[in-house]
Amino acid sequence: MYSSFQEGGSVKKLWISVLVVLVVLPMMFQSSVKAATPISIIIDGVRLSTDQAPVMVNGRTMVPLRAIFEAFNATIKWDQKAQTVTATKDNTTIMLKIGSKTATINNKAVTLDVPGLNLKGRTMVPTRFVSEALGHEVGWNPKTQVVTITTSTSNVGNAGPVSNVVAQDVSDFGDGRDLQVSFTRAANESLVDHYRVLIVKSGNILNLSSAQTIASFNYSTVLPTGTNPSIKLTSASRSVDGDSIKSNQAYVAYVLTVGKGSNASTLSIGSSTMTLVNKTVAAINNVQVNDISDYGDGRDLSVSFNKLSDESKISSYRIFVVKATNYSNFNLAAANNVSSANYTLVSKTGNNITQILSSGARDVDGALIKTGVSYRVFVIAMDSSNAANHVLSSVSSAITLSNIGVSNLNVSDVNNYNDGRDLRVSFTHATDETYISQYRILVVPTSYYSSFSLAEANNISSAYYTAVSTTGTTTNQVLTSSTRDVRGALIKNGVNYKVYILSIGSSNTGNVLSSPSSVITLLNDSSVSIVSNLSVSDVNDYGDGRDLRVSFTHPTDETYISQYRIMVVPTSYYSSFSLAEANNVSSSNYTSVSTSGSSTSQVLNSSTRDVLGASIKNGTSYRVYVLSIGSGIYWDSNALSSASSVITLLNDSSVKAVTNLSVSDVNDYGDGRDLKVSFSHATDETYINQYRIMVVPTSYYSSFSLSEANNVSSSNYTSVSTSGNSTSQVLDSSARDVRGNLIKDGISYKVYVLAVGGSNYSGPNALSGESSVITLSTTKSPVISVTNVTYKEGNGRILISFDKSTNESNISEYRVLVVPSKQGFGSADAIEVRSSYYTSVTPNGTNPSIFTATRDVNGDSIVKGVKYKVYVLAVANNSGVQNGGLSNSTEEFEI
């Protein structure tokens, strides 16, 4: 193509250049850029590569001018000051000024549909007028977003570009040998001299002009054979910029078709971007071995190791057991030659592997695994596609199998202390204790362990097992009151346990874990039972016992229980606290609780002391116990609960609870207006946004917690601002309790006040203590409504008459209310009408007649064409109760 262009028709070639430039350039500034499918420029079947993608502007395709002219070997000059670009090819010169719709071709002015534009340093020009001026064919496919340009010289010898260029990662050498490029040969291979495979780093631009200048040592040559080529590059292969091909670099492959003689060269479209990844299988790590049984064969040997993070290329693992005397000579080559009968094959599971070998397992020499022989273990991950990628793990520590396990393990419940003293453990020692230093009794709660492994047993803290010496041939031991299970909890009634014995071996043998005992649940056959669901919480900031709430569930049978005693135990003095110690605590150092009810939730008082006699205070860590005190025939059979979680009281809340909370019955409306709530605000309200008065029916709440208060709906509490030092508020008629019921007579309530933190505070809200119980009652009589309300209308005014209430002694006034007929209206609405929107009448013992106000209850003027009704509200004085009092309405009328 280039040879023909240079030999003849140079002017036309330049026009083609301009045509191509202008064909593509309008695409850049299209008012609605179509990003889904990029615009492509195809010149005589070859895609034009540009560093600025073509765009659409106002229906015209825009393309970078420089890219087009360089593709046709034209020269370009740029005048920064004049903002003018000049392109020259042979005897043809095109000059274009950015922003102008007038261009010149050999000094002849032509008009552009869209002016040349500058985008990101690239001159973009339109196409259509150039194609029409030069007579060359320009095609546009809006569906595929492809511009095709067919030049007048497209019939000159051209084998055409190759297609379907594909780059693949085929090996793991970390160089060019990993890269294979295949493509579909040129359509007319008789015109092809050879192909050049060009590897370009992703992100770099390659066009025909630059492709033809690549040095020979930076591409791979492929000769035409009449078949579609596929070439695997070499370790010496390089990218077009001279860098060695390597892993973790993204590349795009191109193929340059080089024509014979004067036949033009063409450049293919690039392959998809691909990144070479070295997938050599990694070595296994953390190979561990343990002696776990006493069969005297492979079943005694457990092998564990960490799985590979990427198992995509492996099919399985192989475990090799090597005599310790020979392990230094065992390498990858030796491992690959081991017979399948002499290693253990393990399937990949997606998890770390722990494999117990079989009775028939053999070492790599073919000998059965047995006791008394020192072994080391290796592991290989098997590459399913390339055995050369196998990597041998590092070697395990040495292990010598030995028969050191116990037998005849039994457990029994022998006492009623509700601690470890109730549990007896018996077992027969190992027959050979040569390598055993001690035994460890491990009590395992079954709710946490469906099974219990040697690895878990080896990691148990010394505080959570009972050590037994090797003296004698058997052990028959009752545990102590302070014995804990393997999770650190004191042993107690009602929990299901299994017991294991860990034999502690020497460095040559390792430890061995027994099989589990049968399940045992300790039971106290005394009729004095312990409490359950014991919990503690920090609920205030007094710095004494009032900060501590203790909650627990009573036993279902309290027949022989006289009381409960709450005992606060400082953890610094007691790592555990026994029934004997609890029985001896002075009466001034615990809190007594009656057996009333099914549960207790009690905030301690300011004088409460711990079991040592010290006042409860901030900064001390405590556990709480509850002692059930026996009575009758069980007067000496007290029962101590398990410990609560540890609690340390802190004054860490910037939101403080209110104080001096009191309630009183102040009216006889039969609703919230009867209830007055008074309290002193927190001394520091910096972080308080508001207070919420919460009325709690005692029938539903024996106690009321902070979490419950935080969840009360906004319609079921009364908000109070932080203004002032105290609040004394009568609730309104619509006030509701925390369950959403209107407050009314005859219900027993307690009141709480919740101090709510503001947006500048992220800590907890603070709930007050409870008020005394209050039950509202009514002593005043309700008002009686007027009757026989009638109207007369004349001269635009309304005269209302009605029969007075039969008892005016508890009525302060009558209110005459004009209501639009379409408006719903009731007693609650009547009470809320503003004084300027009704007519007031003072009771005087006679039946009143009075003209209404000139406005309705909404404040709107009474007008013609609107239908109204009139009501009369009898309003209670201090001797009455506003329970109703609204009359029936008049008939509907208009003025």
Side-chain angles (χ1 to χ4, degrees):
M1 178 184 284
Y2 285 106
S3 299
S4 300
F5 188 92
Q6 292 166 355
E7 292 171 1
S10 60
V11 174
K12 291 185 177 180
K13 281 287 187 170
L14 184 55
W15 282 114
I16 293 167
S17 259
V18 176
L19 165 62
V20 174
V21 170
L22 300 179
V23 165
V24 180
L25 293 169
M27 299 179 186
M28 271 216 72
F29 297 91
Q30 186 177 4
S31 58
S32 176
V33 177
K34 299 180 178 178
T37 304
I39 297 172
S40 299
I41 308 298
I42 306 296
I43 304 173
D44 290 336
V46 180
R47 183 186 301 273
L48 178 67
S49 295
T50 63
D51 56 359
Q52 171 60 53
V55 294
M56 186 74 73
V57 177
N58 295 330
R60 293 292 181 263
T61 311
M62 307 290 282
V63 75
L65 180 64
R66 181 174 296 276
I68 292 294
F69 277 94
E70 286 182 350
F72 285 93
N73 291 329
T75 61
I76 296 177
K77 294 182 180 180
W78 168 251
D79 186 334
Q80 176 67 30
K81 184 175 181 180
Q83 291 287 292
T84 301
V85 63
T86 302
T88 303
K89 173 64 176 175
D90 295 332
N91 298 321
T92 303
T93 300
I94 295 99
M95 186 170 68
L96 183 144
K97 183 177 178 64
I98 300 301
S100 174
K101 284 192 175 183
T102 301
T104 65
I105 302 174
N106 288 340
N107 294 321
K108 181 179 179 181
V110 292
T111 301
L112 305 176
D113 292 340
V114 178
L117 299 169
N118 191 297
L119 179 66
K120 298 180 181 178
R122 293 293 179 265
T123 303
M124 311 294 288
V125 290
T127 295
R128 180 58 58 189
F129 99 96
V130 176
S131 63
E132 292 175 351
L134 296 180
H136 294 291
E137 294 184 5
V138 178
W140 167 246
N141 187 327
K143 183 175 181 181
T144 61
Q145 298 283 291
V146 174
V147 176
T148 56
I149 300 175
T150 305
T151 72
S152 59
T153 59
S154 60
N155 294 324
V156 176
N158 183 345
V162 306
S163 58
N164 302 321
V165 180
V166 176
Q168 293 177 288
D169 184 351
V170 294
S171 292
D172 291 305
F173 295 102
D175 56 34
R177 291 173 292 176
D178 298 349
L179 182 56
Q180 179 173 288
V181 179
S182 59
F183 54 90
T184 302
R185 63 193 178 93
N188 188 358
E189 212 171 43
S190 63
L191 301 180
V192 177
D193 182 75
H194 65 275
Y195 302 107
R196 297 177 186 174
V197 176
L198 307 169
I199 306 302
V200 180
K201 292 176 183 174
S202 178
N204 293 344
I205 301 285
L206 184 71
N207 56 36
L208 179 60
S209 178
S210 58
Q212 291 173 316
T213 65
I214 302 301
S216 61
F217 44 78
N218 293 335
Y219 62 76
S220 300
T221 300
V222 180
L223 298 177
T225 62
T227 61
N228 294 330
S230 179
I231 178 175
K232 186 174 181 182
L233 305 191
T234 70
S235 59
S237 296
R238 298 176 180 274
S239 61
V240 296
D241 55 7
D243 290 341
S244 295
I245 294 172
K246 59 185 179 181
S247 298
N248 301 317
Q249 170 65 54
Y251 295 106
V252 177
Y254 295 81
V255 177
L256 178 68
T257 303
V258 180
K260 294 177 179 178
S262 62
N263 292 304
S265 297
T266 56
L267 184 65
S268 73
I269 297 172
S271 70
S272 299
T273 300
M274 60 86 60
T275 302
L276 297 177
V277 178
N278 194 332
K279 300 178 182 176
T280 300
V281 173
I284 302 298
N285 60 42
N286 197 29
V287 179
Q288 302 286 330
V289 289
N290 288 288
D291 183 350
I292 59 167
S293 294
D294 288 311
Y295 294 103
D297 55 35
R299 291 173 293 177
D300 297 351
L301 181 57
S302 172
V303 179
S304 61
F305 54 89
N306 293 344
K307 76 175 186 68
L308 294 181
S309 58
D310 179 9
E311 291 185 313
S312 62
K313 287 199 65 178
I314 71 166
S315 57
S316 59
Y317 300 96
R318 291 178 184 174
I319 297 173
F320 301 95
V321 181
V322 182
K323 293 183 179 72
T325 54
N326 300 329
Y327 88 92
S328 60
N329 298 320
F330 193 74
N331 54 29
L332 179 60
N336 284 331
N337 289 321
V338 172
S339 166
S340 60
N342 298 335
Y343 61 73
T344 297
L345 186 67
V346 181
S347 299
K348 62 181 182 180
T349 64
N351 300 307
N352 292 337
I353 304 293
T354 296
Q355 178 75 27
I356 299 172
L357 304 193
S358 69
S359 60
R362 297 175 181 270
D363 65 24
V364 296
D365 298 324
L368 288 167
I369 295 171
K370 60 184 179 180
T371 58
V373 177
S374 181
Y375 297 107
R376 290 179 182 260
V377 174
F378 295 84
V379 180
I380 279 181
M382 304 301 298
D383 188 328
S384 55
S385 62
N386 190 351
N389 286 335
H390 296 168
V391 178
L392 189 66
S393 73
S394 55
V395 70
S396 75
S397 59
I399 186 170
T400 302
L401 302 178
S402 175
N403 283 338
I404 62 171
V406 306
S407 57
N408 302 320
L409 175 59
N410 289 294
V411 290
S412 55
D413 184 349
V414 295
N415 285 307
N416 288 308
Y417 292 105
N418 188 27
D419 56 34
R421 292 173 293 176
D422 297 353
L423 180 57
R424 182 191 299 276
V425 179
S426 305
F427 59 90
T428 301
H429 294 195
T431 53
D432 180 5
E433 293 181 316
T434 304
Y435 297 104
I436 300 176
S437 61
Q438 67 173 208
Y439 301 104
R440 294 175 183 172
I441 299 173
L442 305 169
V443 182
V444 178
T446 60
S447 58
Y448 287 98
Y449 298 92
S450 58
S451 62
F452 185 68
S453 69
L454 176 63
E456 291 166 324
N458 284 333
N459 288 320
I460 298 302
S461 165
S462 60
Y464 303 155
Y465 62 72
T466 298
V468 178
S469 73
T470 57
T471 302
T473 59
T474 61
T475 288
N476 188 23
Q477 182 154 337
V478 176
L479 306 188
T480 69
S481 61
S482 60
T483 303
R484 297 176 180 272
D485 66 28
V486 295
R487 291 178 57 83
L490 287 166
I491 293 173
K492 61 182 180 180
N493 288 350
V495 178
N496 293 334
Y497 298 107
K498 288 182 180 178
V499 174
Y500 295 75
I501 307 298
L502 181 66
S503 302
I504 304 301
S506 68
S507 59
N508 291 326
T509 61
N511 301 337
V512 172
L513 185 67
S514 73
S515 300
S517 71
S518 57
V519 175
I520 187 169
T521 305
L522 300 177
L523 299 173
N524 195 336
D525 58 10
S526 168
S527 292
V528 176
S529 301
I530 62 172
V531 304
S532 57
N533 302 321
L534 175 60
S535 63
V536 289
S537 56
D538 185 347
V539 294
N540 286 308
D541 289 308
Y542 294 105
D544 55 34
R546 291 173 293 176
D547 297 353
L548 180 57
R549 181 188 295 276
V550 179
S551 302
F552 57 88
T553 302
H554 296 194
T556 52
D557 183 2
E558 293 179 312
T559 305
Y560 295 103
I561 299 176
S562 61
Q563 66 172 216
Y564 302 103
R565 295 175 183 173
I566 298 173
M567 300 189 172
V568 183
V569 179
T571 60
S572 58
Y573 287 96
Y574 296 92
S575 58
S576 63
F577 185 68
S578 69
L579 176 62
E581 290 166 325
N583 285 331
N584 289 321
V585 172
S586 166
S587 60
S588 59
N589 298 338
Y590 60 73
T591 298
S592 297
V593 179
S594 74
T595 58
S596 174
S598 60
S599 63
T600 289
S601 183
Q602 181 156 337
V603 176
L604 306 188
N605 62 41
S606 60
S607 61
T608 302
R609 298 177 178 273
D610 65 27
V611 294
L612 293 171
S615 293
I616 293 173
K617 61 183 180 180
N618 288 345
T620 299
S621 294
Y622 299 105
R623 283 194 174 99
V624 173
Y625 297 77
V626 177
L627 181 66
S628 302
I629 304 300
S631 65
I633 61 174
Y634 295 105
W635 64 270
D636 61 346
S637 299
N638 299 338
L640 185 65
S641 74
S642 56
S644 72
S645 57
V646 175
I647 186 169
T648 304
L649 301 176
L650 298 172
N651 257 346
D652 59 351
S653 172
S654 294
V655 171
K656 311 297 182 184
V658 306
T659 56
N660 303 320
L661 176 61
S662 63
V663 291
S664 56
D665 186 348
V666 296
N667 284 309
D668 287 304
Y669 294 103
D671 56 32
R673 291 173 293 175
D674 297 353
L675 179 59
K676 176 183 284 190
V677 179
S678 302
F679 57 88
S680 298
H681 292 195
T683 53
D684 180 3
E685 294 182 320
T686 304
Y687 296 100
I688 298 178
N689 172 260
Q690 64 173 214
Y691 300 103
R692 296 175 182 172
I693 297 173
M694 299 187 174
V695 182
V696 179
T698 60
S699 59
Y700 287 96
Y701 297 92
S702 58
S703 63
F704 187 67
S705 68
L706 176 62
S707 61
E708 292 169 318
N710 284 332
N711 289 318
V712 172
S713 167
S714 60
S715 59
N716 298 336
Y717 60 73
T718 298
S719 296
V720 179
S721 73
T722 57
S723 176
N725 297 321
S726 63
T727 289
S728 184
Q729 181 155 336
V730 176
L731 306 189
D732 63 35
S733 61
S734 61
R736 296 176 181 271
D737 68 25
V738 294
R739 292 178 56 83
N741 298 314
L742 288 168
I743 294 171
K744 59 183 179 181
D745 290 348
I747 303 294
S748 294
Y749 299 104
K750 289 181 180 178
V751 174
Y752 296 76
V753 177
L754 180 68
V756 179
S759 59
N760 59 343
Y761 175 70
S762 59
N765 298 335
L767 186 66
S768 71
E770 63 194 25
S771 73
S772 57
V773 176
I774 186 170
T775 304
L776 301 177
S777 60
T778 299
T779 60
K780 301 175 183 179
S781 59
V783 298
I784 299 174
S785 303
V786 307
T787 56
N788 195 28
V789 182
T790 60
Y791 76 95
K792 290 183 180 180
E793 187 272 336
N795 297 323
R797 300 191 68 188
I798 303 169
L799 180 66
I800 298 299
S801 302
F802 56 88
D803 294 340
K804 68 180 180 67
S805 172
T806 55
N807 178 17
E808 289 187 324
S809 63
N810 60 357
I811 295 176
S812 63
E813 66 173 334
Y814 299 114
R815 296 176 184 174
V816 179
L817 308 159
V818 182
V819 182
S821 294
K822 293 182 178 180
Q823 180 175 331
F825 198 72
S827 297
D829 302 308
I831 290 291
E832 300 299 326
V833 176
R834 292 172 56 179
S835 60
S836 56
Y837 301 156
Y838 61 75
T839 301
S840 179
V841 180
T842 301
N844 59 9
T846 63
N847 295 329
S849 292
I850 188 170
F851 285 102
T852 66
T854 58
R855 295 183 180 273
D856 65 17
V857 293
N858 304 309
D860 297 324
S861 296
I862 296 173
V863 296
K864 294 181 178 180
V866 176
K867 294 182 178 180
Y868 298 96
K869 292 181 178 180
V870 175
Y871 296 79
V872 177
L873 176 67
V875 180
N877 59 23
N878 290 335
S879 300
V881 175
Q882 192 67 49
N883 187 6
L886 186 67
S887 72
N888 294 326
S889 71
T890 64
E891 294 180 354
E892 194 176 70
F893 64 89
E894 294 181 46
I895 63 172

